[in-house]
Amino acid sequence: MDEQCIPEFHIPSSADDLTSDRWKNAGRYTVENVLGIGDLPGKLAECREAMHDVGMLFVLDHFDSLFSMIVHFRKLEWSVLTKAWGAVMQAFRISVKELDKTVRDSMEADKQHKYRNATKMMVYLLTQYIKGFEDRLAGCGKGKNKISKVSESKDWNWKERNHEALIEIYNCLQLPLQNLWDPAVCEEPFSDIIGNACFKSLEDPGVTQVKMKPMCETIFQIIGTLVKKHGYGFSCIVRIGQMLHIHEHMVSPMVRCVVVLFKEFKCTRIVHEILQEISRIDTEVDADSEEPAAGVGVAKTYGQFIAELAESVPELVLPHIDLLKSLLDIKAYVMRNSVLSAYSIIVQKCLSGEDLSEEERNKRDDLLCDMEDHIHDVNAFVRSRVLQLWQNLVKEHAVPISFHASVLERAVGRLHDKSAFVKKSAVQLVASFLEQNPFASRLGLEELQAQLESEEKKLQAIEDSTAKLPQKVEEEWNELEPDLKGGLTEVLEADDTSTDMECEEIDFAEQCGLVCKLVKSKDYKSAYQQLRSLEEKLPAQVHCLKNSVDIEELHDNCVKLFRKIHFMYHGEPEESEESKELKRVIAFLKDSIAYVELMNKALPVICSLLTSMQTTDIVEAIEFITSAYQFGLSQAENSMRELLTLVLSGNESVLSAVSEAYYQVYLKTEETDSRKHSEIVVKNLCHLVSTINAGQKAALDSLLLEWLKKGYITPGDIQIMWEWVAMAEPEISAEDSRHALVLLDILAVEKSDMMKTRLPFLLAACLGERGQKDFLLVTITCRLIAKSHRDSERLPEDHVMFSNLCKILREGFPKKDCPNYVVMAEAAIELIYQLSMKPVAEMESLVISLSEQLQNCNLNKDSGSESGKYPAEVLSRFLFVVGHVCLRHMIHLEEYVYIKLRKIATKNKRKSKDSDTSKSREVSPSGTQAEDNEYEQIRMLCEKHVVTGTDMLALCSKFVVDICSKPKEYDGTSVLTSAFLALSKMMVVSSEFCAEHIQLFMTALKTSTDEKLRANCLIAFGDIAFRFPNVAEPWTGYICDSLRDTTSDTVRQTAVLILTHLVMNDMVKIRTQIADIALCLTDAHPEISYTAKVFFYELSQKGNALYNTLPEIISKLTHPETNLDDSKFRTILKFILGLIHRERQLETLIEKLCQRLGAASTEQQAANLAFCMSLLTYNEKSLYLLIENLKCYADKLNHKPVFDYFMNIVSSSMKNPKQEIKAVSSELESYIQDIVNGTGEKKQDGDEQEPGRPPRTTKTPYRRRGTRQAPSTVKKQPQKGKTPRRRKPKTPSSTSESSDLEE
């Protein structure tokens, strides 16, 4: 083409424009000939030759060849494309070097035209090649040529070559290219096509990788140059918005681009324009709409951009923060989350500290107010996120004191949120407020209130001392006023009131003092002049002097002003520093108290999370309670003790959290001295032991043993415990000594050898003189010795330990002022039976001794002071000892004596083998027979010679029975309770004795007014049922009757516990009374309700046990005679039916309920049964069962509650994603509607479907042996040509499923 005739080259928006007639007719450059694919390699070689010969202007003649490459880009072989890329890159480098020499000087129009065309052509070609390679490589993972394309390009690193091209473009843009145009302004398409190539290179998701950072920086430099020199600003903003809209991965690159544009190219308006563009997004983007994905995705990407931009350059976003406020109204919660995150970052990095200006403080407060409002956002994700943002601000100390109370109050309110993760975030925020509180390291409410009261008294005393001053000032003014009025009149009438006097510059207070002195000295003229000079300093009073209309008004105004100045100077003395300090302290204490009260309000709510099913909730609550305890919150100590119960939960994460919490509180100290550290640890642990109950102690045992294994409890700590037991220091009390002994008792399991070596010390320190006065000490000592000697050999009966114990038991027996005798006697008797070689003789001797003392008490008692013939307390002790000795006697026989007899029998059997074998076979019984003989001997001893017969204990048993037979004589004392407790222990020994006296025992359970006695009888019955189930079985109904004991919560709870124990261990079978336990689910007492829930949960884990009892429960609770409240009925059945999950059980239960519904006698009963059916989970087979049994309950569907419950079943089933279930649900609904509308019986086989009715399924229902066909009221014809198939009946199996059909 002749260079003189080349028209102007216009950069096209589409490659097709360069071949169109429209462009040619408009006088623009067009491509004359698009070469074929076969001609391109040869033309490419010609281009290379021309390039070396002509330079950059070669493109004017060879543009068509290089453009043809673009047209066939997707079809060309990879080798041709790489050669073409090399040629274009070489040409562009030559062009940049040639332009560097050309564009800096002035050019003629023709030369300018040529180089402008050549430059635009080269830029167009290079950017289109970049776009072509990006598009082609983006398709490497798609289509049939996937493998070949990947193999072609894997050895050719496109990213490196693209980076080289971008560097050349950057170098080109550094030249004064605007000189190629006249006027000197680059065309907009020229900058746009370069910018588009840059943004195209950023579309690859791998651009966020670290190795791509240099290329990204080059791109940002190119874009910055285009914006700064070539007017690309508006297009750049649009492109950034488009990239964010289309590509989620573009958030971080676009943030970096904006930062570069602002910092390196000083594009100050770029952030404002982009945020303004984002603020215009559709505010109707709704996460709850039917097609929310696109809109929510855009909001998410824009939101992430805002948050990351604020994180990178918060000072850049701060001036434009008003643009973000409108985004808080967008329905997509992700946008609100991002904006609030940006607020938090800006406050933390730009608006925190004490050196803020007033404007900055106002901005900060506005942002924090918006964040505070969104704690109550409608979306749970936003509430959770904003709570987390507040937590970050609190940790960074970026929250002003003025916001602490209001934010903390809202956070406490969120503890009641229905969302689990919002509650978790609220707990974390409250914990952060507690740990970062600006008030004190100890937050005890009582201490703060006492301190506040003290400081207020001090302030009141100071205020009272200064209250008398205004009265003196008033009297002084009354003396000065008459003379002042007269003197002021003379001054004003003399008209010599010029104020042009020279006055020294003094402050306002000194000038007021000068006026008062002049008035006192009666220099009224000078006083008036000073008064007029104060006008500028008293702006509120200026007009009252200047605007006076006459001398009389001026006189009155001056007198008023003199009076005000006089009182200002004398009547309002400067507040003392002490008073100011007291006011600051009082304000601080009031804020502290309000803070602590909010924390105390939050604590019970957080403690409730300890029962959560989520482990994370429990761990968060544990950490907060630990912090609260360390900060001294008054209610935290009780909460800290409640954590102990979690040790036995079996959850490893919870156990670890509790262990760490207790370690931080009780074992971790700041002391470096090991002994002082041990003293503090023992002191802490003793305090803990003194505050826990029996249930918590079991958990503490486990915790202490774990610490001992981990080495947290050191030998030094144990040594200090022994010193406390010995009361080595005078400040150690007897109570501290007992608590230290309790700790040693717990550790005895792991330290039994050490405890054995300490036996002489224990006998001397605890079972000597101290033991005769401190029965609790003896109790703990006995338990410790028993635990440490569990596997030891027995001691001789004359051991000092046994004599000391018997002495304590005898001498302490009549002492009424010594409590805890019973628990001590229990521990002592058990220790003697455990370790003594001959405990029976010792115990018989002890019982005889105590009975003699009892007789002596009867002879010496004061008449009328006790009930019965003996002192009540002493008699109770005797009864306990007798009962417990009988029980331990039986255990001694069945364990120790039986084992000893077995050993003797085994020894004899070995000897017999040495004799004649044949003779041994004839004479000696087999091993099983010998074992049975030994067991029978022990049984006969228990039956005939312990509580029956003529032995000492048998005589005592008659005495016990005699007391139990006279309840009125011992009513109101502890004697009767002790007697029945002893009787129950004796009944466990002998079945004959038990059968003889069980009626007396159960009568007491039914008729006694003492709830403690009844509760004890229930517990004892559990032991009797375990020991002699045949004797106890006829009396099980009495236990169930106790479930309805309205006079005592303790009795009801005990009854549930005992029945749980008996049923779970298969000792009794209750079917008719199971409904009584179900009624306990709604008991007003929470512990009874919880125990009943545990019972049914455990029952549900025993195969079909719960399922087999369900018909009885439902039958009794729905019976009209039960008259159960509807709300209670629903609560009970909702819980119980929620425990049934096996499909076979559900299907059988549904069929039974259909039959019971048809037999319902009242509408209320029918409604209750329908409610039960609505609670079950339905599969396809279950729904067919409803259809098959429709005839049973069709007449009940006209009752609205029944109809509503069945519609609930249908609607719930329609939500199931399985189409088969939806089809059957639709069919069931149509049947029900036919019956309700009265058209069910009129429908004939083959009738056409009614308009509006869902199409009925053609699937044949499941059939089981013995089931009915579809109900006659709504007969359904199978499709023509198809025979309904029946499912083959399952062969009955011998598994537990066979009991599913049990009624």
Side-chain angles (χ1 to χ4, degrees):
M1 182 182 289
D2 189 357
E3 294 181 0
Q4 302 294 332
C5 302
I6 292 179
E8 183 71 22
F9 179 83
H10 289 266
I11 296 176
S13 59
S14 172
D16 294 338
D17 292 340
L18 289 174
T19 59
S20 67
D21 293 337
R22 179 172 56 85
W23 273 47
K24 187 174 184 180
N25 296 334
R28 298 180 178 182
Y29 178 89
T30 56
V31 176
E32 297 294 338
N33 183 24
V34 178
L35 302 177
I37 295 177
D39 300 331
L40 290 179
K43 290 294 182 180
L44 195 59
E46 293 179 9
C47 290
R48 287 184 180 274
E49 293 177 3
M51 184 194 314
H52 291 292
D53 295 340
V54 182
M56 73 173 290
L57 295 180
F58 90 98
V59 74
L60 300 176
D61 293 325
H62 296 275
F63 177 82
D64 291 7
S65 300
L66 297 175
F67 175 78
S68 299
M69 292 279 186
I70 298 173
V71 175
H72 302 297
F73 207 93
R74 290 187 174 274
K75 300 178 181 178
L76 288 172
E77 294 182 0
W78 189 259
S79 58
V80 177
L81 289 177
T82 55
K83 292 177 181 178
W85 172 260
V88 172
M89 277 297 300
Q90 186 179 5
F92 198 84
R93 290 191 183 98
I94 294 172
S95 301
V96 172
K97 293 178 181 178
E98 193 170 335
L99 283 173
D100 188 22
K101 300 174 182 178
T102 305
V103 296
R104 298 185 186 278
D105 302 325
S106 59
M107 293 179 287
E108 296 179 357
D110 183 51
K111 184 178 180 180
Q112 185 185 41
H113 171 70
K114 292 179 182 179
Y115 275 95
R116 181 171 64 247
N117 269 5
T119 301
K120 289 194 287 185
M121 287 178 176
M122 288 306 306
V123 168
Y124 174 77
L125 288 172
L126 183 59
T127 55
Q128 292 306 299
Y129 274 49
I130 290 174
K131 180 178 181 297
F133 274 105
E134 289 285 353
D135 290 341
R136 178 151 178 170
L137 291 173
C140 281
K142 304 174 183 178
K144 298 180 180 179
N145 300 325
K146 168 184 174 182
I147 298 177
S148 61
K149 290 179 180 179
V150 173
S151 61
E152 287 175 354
S153 59
K154 67 178 181 180
D155 298 328
W156 196 72
N157 193 330
W158 161 245
K159 294 303 178 185
E160 290 184 2
R161 287 163 173 76
N162 188 17
H163 190 197
E164 293 172 358
L166 292 170
I167 292 174
E168 293 300 328
I169 292 175
Y170 174 75
N171 293 335
C172 180
L173 291 175
Q174 302 311 305
L175 304 176
L177 298 179
Q178 63 272 14
N179 294 338
L180 296 174
W181 280 268
D182 188 19
V185 179
C186 291
E187 295 175 357
E188 183 177 344
F190 179 79
S191 57
D192 284 349
I193 199 169
I194 296 175
N196 291 341
C198 291
F199 283 108
K200 182 68 177 178
S201 299
L202 291 173
E203 290 181 2
D204 183 5
V207 77
T208 56
Q209 299 175 1
V210 176
K211 63 181 181 181
M212 301 296 292
K213 185 177 180 181
M215 189 180 82
C216 291
E217 292 298 327
T218 302
I219 292 174
F220 300 151
Q221 293 294 327
I222 294 172
I223 295 173
T225 303
L226 290 174
V227 172
K228 191 70 175 177
K229 294 183 178 180
H230 303 294
Y232 188 63
F234 178 76
S235 298
C236 177
I237 293 170
V238 173
R239 287 293 289 156
I240 289 175
Q242 290 174 348
M243 298 297 282
L244 292 174
H245 189 95
I246 299 171
H247 305 287
E248 290 187 6
H249 72 276
M250 290 302 297
V251 173
S252 296
M254 291 299 97
V255 169
R256 177 60 187 159
C257 180
V258 171
V259 173
V260 170
L261 291 175
F262 177 80
K263 289 186 175 180
E264 299 185 23
F265 294 93
K266 309 302 178 185
C267 300
T268 55
R269 293 285 299 172
I270 187 74
V271 175
H272 176 81
E273 297 296 336
I274 291 176
L275 292 180
Q276 193 171 38
E277 190 70 21
I278 292 176
S279 66
R280 295 193 186 106
I281 69 172
D282 187 5
T283 58
E284 294 303 317
V285 174
D286 189 356
D288 298 326
S289 63
E290 293 182 0
E291 298 181 355
V296 174
V298 172
K300 180 181 179 180
T301 308
Y302 282 159
Q304 290 176 347
F305 174 80
I306 292 171
E308 287 196 25
L309 186 63
E311 181 70 33
S312 302
V313 280
E315 68 281 359
L316 196 59
V317 180
L318 178 59
H320 315 291
I321 200 69
D322 291 338
L323 294 173
L324 301 181
K325 286 186 177 293
S326 61
L327 299 178
L328 289 175
D329 297 328
I330 290 180
K331 293 181 180 179
Y333 74 89
V334 289
M335 178 61 79
R336 300 201 296 279
N337 275 350
S338 299
V339 173
L340 292 170
S341 298
Y343 279 12
S344 172
I345 294 166
I346 291 170
V347 170
Q348 182 179 331
K349 295 187 175 182
C350 301
L351 299 176
S352 60
E354 300 296 331
D355 54 345
L356 299 179
S357 64
E358 188 65 27
E359 181 182 359
E360 290 174 330
R361 290 178 186 273
N362 291 336
K363 279 188 177 180
R364 178 199 64 191
D365 292 348
D366 288 343
L367 298 182
L368 292 179
C369 284
D370 286 342
M371 291 180 63
E372 187 177 1
D373 291 340
H374 282 275
I375 294 177
H376 290 160
D377 195 280
V378 295
N379 189 282
F381 291 106
V382 179
R383 297 197 298 274
S384 176
R385 179 58 181 160
V386 78
L387 289 170
Q388 295 170 8
L389 296 175
W390 276 109
Q391 182 185 358
N392 295 336
L393 291 176
V394 170
K395 289 182 177 179
E396 296 297 328
H397 304 285
V399 181
I401 297 293
S402 57
F403 277 86
H404 275 237
S406 58
V407 175
L408 180 57
E409 186 174 3
R410 294 195 180 210
V412 172
R414 289 302 91 210
L415 294 173
H416 299 279
D417 200 285
K418 61 183 180 180
S419 170
F421 47 85
V422 175
K423 287 191 287 189
K424 178 181 178 181
S425 299
V427 172
Q428 293 174 342
L429 176 56
V430 175
S432 296
F433 267 116
L434 179 62
E435 294 167 0
Q436 306 293 334
N437 83 86
F439 299 106
S441 60
R442 301 292 295 176
L443 297 175
L445 184 60
E446 295 79 6
E447 299 172 6
L448 291 172
Q449 289 174 338
Q451 190 177 353
L452 175 63
E453 185 178 354
S454 174
E455 298 299 327
E456 286 179 339
K457 287 181 180 178
K458 292 180 183 178
L459 179 63
Q460 187 63 40
I462 294 175
E463 291 178 348
D464 290 343
S465 65
T466 58
K468 300 178 181 179
L469 186 59
Q471 185 177 358
K472 296 179 180 179
V473 176
E474 182 72 29
E475 294 175 356
E476 184 178 354
W477 171 255
N478 291 336
E479 294 178 0
L480 295 173
E481 187 177 19
D483 295 338
L484 174 63
K485 288 181 177 180
L488 188 59
T489 300
E490 295 177 0
V491 170
L492 294 176
E493 289 178 351
D495 199 18
D496 187 11
T497 58
S498 175
T499 58
D500 297 334
M501 58 182 294
E502 295 184 3
C503 299
E504 296 181 1
E505 287 294 331
I506 58 177
D507 63 12
F508 178 73
E510 292 181 2
Q511 197 167 0
C512 289
L514 179 59
V515 171
C516 292
K517 290 179 181 178
L518 292 173
V519 171
K520 287 183 180 180
S521 61
K522 299 186 179 181
D523 187 355
Y524 300 120
K525 180 178 179 181
S526 299
Y528 176 72
Q529 291 173 344
Q530 288 291 339
L531 181 67
R532 297 303 296 261
S533 68
L534 280 171
E535 288 180 355
E536 298 300 327
K537 297 180 181 180
L538 287 169
Q541 303 295 335
V542 169
H543 299 293
C544 73
L545 296 182
K546 287 186 176 180
N547 299 337
S548 301
V549 295
D550 52 25
I551 293 179
E552 184 177 353
E553 185 178 353
L554 179 61
H555 176 275
D556 293 340
N557 290 336
C558 286
V559 171
K560 293 178 182 178
L561 196 52
F562 274 124
R563 187 179 188 278
K564 180 176 287 293
I565 292 173
H566 180 82
F567 275 89
M568 285 174 60
Y569 186 72
H570 294 94
E572 298 180 4
E574 184 177 355
E575 190 175 13
S576 65
E577 289 298 325
E578 182 182 7
S579 178
K580 292 179 182 178
E581 181 64 23
L582 283 173
K583 287 183 178 180
R584 285 194 293 268
V585 170
I586 289 172
F588 177 82
L589 289 173
K590 287 182 177 179
D591 290 341
S592 301
I593 290 173
Y595 201 84
V596 173
E597 287 175 343
L598 283 173
M599 287 296 175
N600 286 336
K601 181 180 178 182
L603 190 57
V605 184
I606 295 177
C607 287
S608 66
L609 296 178
L610 295 176
T611 59
S612 172
M613 300 299 292
Q614 300 292 329
T615 301
T616 53
D617 289 349
I618 300 174
V619 173
E620 292 290 344
I622 290 171
E623 292 176 355
F624 178 82
I625 292 169
T626 304
S627 298
Y629 181 83
Q630 291 174 330
F631 277 94
L633 290 182
S634 56
Q635 299 179 7
E637 187 171 2
N638 292 334
S639 303
M640 196 71 193
R641 290 197 297 270
E642 290 178 7
L643 298 185
L644 280 174
T645 57
L646 299 176
V647 173
L648 306 176
S649 65
N651 189 313
E652 289 296 329
S653 300
V654 174
L655 174 59
S656 176
V658 175
S659 178
E660 180 62 23
Y662 269 79
Y663 172 77
Q664 294 290 333
V665 172
Y666 293 101
L667 297 188
K668 192 174 182 179
T669 69
E670 302 295 332
E671 286 291 341
T672 56
D673 183 79
S674 59
R675 181 172 178 82
K676 291 183 179 179
H677 165 79
S678 296
E679 289 176 349
I680 296 174
V681 168
V682 173
K683 182 179 179 180
N684 291 341
L685 292 177
C686 287
H687 173 71
L688 176 60
V689 168
S690 67
T691 57
I692 60 177
N693 57 35
Q696 294 164 347
K697 184 182 178 300
L700 180 62
D701 293 357
S702 174
L703 204 57
L704 288 176
L705 293 174
E706 180 190 355
W707 287 344
L708 186 64
K709 292 177 183 177
K710 292 181 177 179
Y712 294 166
I713 296 179
T714 63
D717 300 338
I718 297 175
Q719 179 60 34
I720 296 296
M721 293 176 191
W722 285 115
E723 293 178 8
W724 279 42
V725 172
M727 301 179 68
E729 300 294 335
E731 63 270 13
I732 300 174
S733 64
E735 186 177 6
D736 294 334
S737 177
R738 287 197 301 270
H739 295 155
L741 192 61
V742 170
L743 295 175
L744 291 169
D745 174 43
I746 296 171
L747 302 178
V749 175
E750 295 292 332
K751 295 287 184 179
S752 58
D753 294 337
M754 181 193 68
M755 300 299 173
K756 291 177 183 178
T757 61
R758 295 276 185 166
L759 181 59
F761 166 78
L762 290 171
L763 296 179
C766 304
L767 298 184
E769 295 182 3
R770 283 180 60 193
Q772 295 177 3
K773 300 177 182 177
D774 191 343
F775 290 162
L776 272 182
L777 183 67
V778 177
T779 304
I780 301 167
T781 305
C782 291
R783 292 172 181 170
L784 189 154
I785 296 173
K787 194 178 294 183
S788 59
H789 290 71
R790 183 166 297 170
D791 299 324
S792 302
E793 294 184 359
R794 291 180 175 253
L795 302 175
E797 63 273 15
D798 58 350
H799 194 278
V800 65
M801 178 175 66
F802 305 130
S803 59
N804 286 358
L805 287 175
C806 291
K807 182 179 179 182
I808 293 172
L809 287 169
R810 284 193 298 268
E811 295 183 359
F813 180 70
K815 295 179 180 179
K816 301 178 184 178
D817 56 341
C818 294
N820 304 308
Y821 179 87
V822 169
V823 292
M824 181 272 295
E826 179 182 9
I829 293 170
E830 290 183 355
L831 181 60
I832 293 172
Y833 269 102
Q834 178 183 339
L835 296 181
S836 176
M837 293 289 292
K838 296 181 179 180
V840 176
E842 294 181 25
M843 287 298 100
E844 287 184 354
S845 175
L846 176 64
V847 171
I848 292 171
S849 176
L850 296 185
S851 64
E852 292 174 354
Q853 292 189 56
L854 183 64
Q855 294 296 331
N856 294 334
C857 291
N858 181 32
L859 297 175
N860 298 328
K861 80 176 189 72
D862 299 330
S863 58
S865 61
E866 305 287 352
S867 297
K869 296 191 296 182
Y870 306 100
E873 187 171 353
V874 178
L875 180 56
S876 297
R877 292 177 179 179
F878 178 77
L879 293 171
F880 175 82
V881 170
V882 169
H884 202 62
V885 167
C886 290
L887 180 63
R888 292 304 305 180
H889 196 85
M890 177 201 71
I891 296 172
H892 174 71
L893 290 173
E894 293 188 348
E895 292 182 357
Y896 177 72
V897 176
Y898 175 72
I899 293 173
K900 194 172 181 179
L901 290 175
R902 287 290 304 129
K903 288 181 179 179
I904 295 172
T906 305
K907 187 176 180 181
N908 294 334
K909 186 177 180 180
R910 288 175 182 172
K911 288 181 180 180
S912 65
K913 288 183 180 179
D914 299 333
S915 60
D916 185 12
T917 307
S918 60
K919 185 177 180 180
S920 177
R921 287 196 192 101
E922 295 174 3
V923 177
S924 301
S926 65
T928 305
Q929 287 178 333
E931 186 175 347
D932 290 342
N933 292 337
E934 291 144 11
Y935 176 77
E936 187 64 23
Q937 292 176 29
I938 298 299
R939 191 186 71 81
M940 289 305 297
L941 284 174
C942 293
E943 288 288 341
K944 304 295 184 180
H945 300 286
V946 180
V947 294
T948 58
T950 59
D951 292 340
M952 181 64 193
L953 293 178
L955 297 176
C956 292
S957 66
K958 295 177 181 178
F959 178 67
V960 172
V961 172
D962 183 63
I963 294 176
C964 293
S965 303
K966 302 174 182 178
K968 294 183 179 180
E969 187 174 342
Y970 297 97
D971 190 23
T973 67
S974 60
V975 174
L976 206 59
T977 303
S978 300
F980 275 98
L981 181 60
L983 179 63
S984 66
K985 293 179 179 179
M986 293 174 177
M987 290 168 67
V988 171
V989 176
S990 169
S991 60
E992 293 181 6
F993 186 87
C994 180
E996 184 180 353
H997 300 100
I998 192 169
Q999 183 174 2
L1000 172 64
F1001 185 80
M1002 301 309 292
T1003 302
L1005 170 63
K1006 187 173 183 179
T1007 61
S1008 176
T1009 58
D1010 186 353
E1011 67 172 1
K1012 184 178 179 182
L1013 188 150
R1014 300 202 305 276
N1016 286 346
C1017 288
L1018 288 170
I1019 296 171
F1021 184 83
D1023 296 331
I1024 294 171
F1026 181 79
R1027 180 79 172 166
F1028 307 120
N1030 293 334
V1031 177
E1033 184 181 8
W1035 304 92
T1036 307
Y1038 282 74
I1039 308 299
C1040 297
D1041 291 342
S1042 299
L1043 295 171
R1044 297 186 294 273
D1045 190 337
T1046 58
T1047 61
S1048 174
D1049 295 337
T1050 304
V1051 173
R1052 293 201 309 280
Q1053 184 179 2
T1054 307
V1056 177
L1057 286 171
I1058 296 303
L1059 284 172
T1060 302
H1061 169 69
L1062 296 177
V1063 173
M1064 292 302 111
N1065 291 281
D1066 296 322
M1067 297 180 200
V1068 297
K1069 294 188 179 296
I1070 52 172
R1071 292 288 297 273
T1072 57
Q1073 297 92 351
I1074 192 71
D1076 294 328
I1077 304 179
L1079 290 171
C1080 293
L1081 289 169
T1082 57
D1083 196 284
H1085 196 279
E1087 293 185 4
I1088 298 175
S1089 174
Y1090 175 76
T1091 307
K1093 289 180 180 178
V1094 172
F1095 169 80
F1096 281 104
Y1097 175 78
E1098 295 294 337
L1099 192 64
S1100 68
Q1101 305 302 307
K1102 284 176 62 69
N1104 297 315
L1106 178 60
Y1107 166 76
N1108 291 336
T1109 60
L1110 266 176
E1112 180 63 32
I1113 294 174
I1114 296 175
S1115 176
K1116 185 166 183 180
L1117 296 185
T1118 57
H1119 198 278
E1121 293 182 0
T1122 305
N1123 195 24
L1124 183 62
D1125 183 71
D1126 286 349
S1127 61
K1128 291 185 177 181
F1129 175 83
R1130 292 172 183 173
T1131 302
I1132 293 170
L1133 269 300
K1134 189 173 183 180
F1135 176 79
I1136 296 177
L1137 292 176
L1139 300 173
I1140 303 295
H1141 303 293
R1142 295 167 65 180
E1143 288 189 358
R1144 179 67 183 276
Q1145 292 179 351
L1146 288 169
E1147 292 163 4
T1148 310
L1149 184 60
I1150 288 169
E1151 191 167 10
K1152 290 180 181 180
L1153 287 174
C1154 289
Q1155 296 170 7
R1156 286 182 180 270
L1157 179 59
S1161 58
T1162 65
E1163 291 185 348
Q1164 183 61 46
Q1165 187 179 15
N1168 288 339
L1169 290 168
F1171 170 77
C1172 295
M1173 297 178 70
S1174 69
L1175 296 175
L1176 302 177
T1177 303
Y1178 288 83
N1179 58 15
E1180 185 179 2
K1181 184 176 180 181
S1182 302
L1183 292 170
Y1184 273 121
L1185 286 173
L1186 291 181
I1187 296 175
E1188 291 173 3
N1189 291 278
L1190 193 59
K1191 186 176 181 180
C1192 297
Y1193 58 86
D1195 59 319
K1196 302 297 189 298
L1197 291 173
N1198 292 313
H1199 184 41
K1200 189 176 185 308
V1202 176
F1203 174 79
D1204 291 341
Y1205 287 130
F1206 273 87
M1207 287 297 100
N1208 289 340
I1209 295 173
V1210 172
S1211 62
S1212 299
S1213 301
M1214 291 293 287
K1215 295 177 182 177
N1216 195 295
K1218 294 183 178 180
Q1219 294 300 321
E1220 295 85 354
I1221 294 180
K1222 289 183 178 180
V1224 181
S1225 301
S1226 176
E1227 184 177 358
L1228 174 63
E1229 182 181 16
S1230 65
Y1231 285 151
I1232 294 174
Q1233 292 292 349
D1234 288 345
I1235 292 172
V1236 173
N1237 296 332
T1239 60
E1241 297 182 359
K1242 298 177 182 179
K1243 297 291 286 184
Q1244 300 295 328
D1245 295 346
D1247 283 354
E1248 295 184 1
Q1249 181 178 300
E1250 293 182 7
R1253 173 180 293 177
R1256 296 184 180 180
T1257 179
T1258 59
K1259 185 172 180 179
T1260 304
Y1262 290 102
R1263 302 292 183 212
R1264 293 188 297 114
R1265 187 185 305 174
T1267 57
R1268 290 179 295 275
Q1269 300 294 326
S1272 58
T1273 54
V1274 281
K1275 291 181 180 178
K1276 190 179 75 163
Q1277 285 277 23
Q1279 288 184 344
K1280 293 183 178 179
K1282 292 187 179 181
T1283 304
R1285 292 181 299 171
R1286 291 179 178 269
R1287 295 183 66 190
K1288 185 178 180 179
K1290 292 185 178 179
T1291 304
S1293 63
S1294 59
T1295 62
S1296 59
E1297 289 288 347
S1298 61
S1299 62
D1300 284 347
L1301 301 178
E1302 182 182 343
E1303 181 64 21

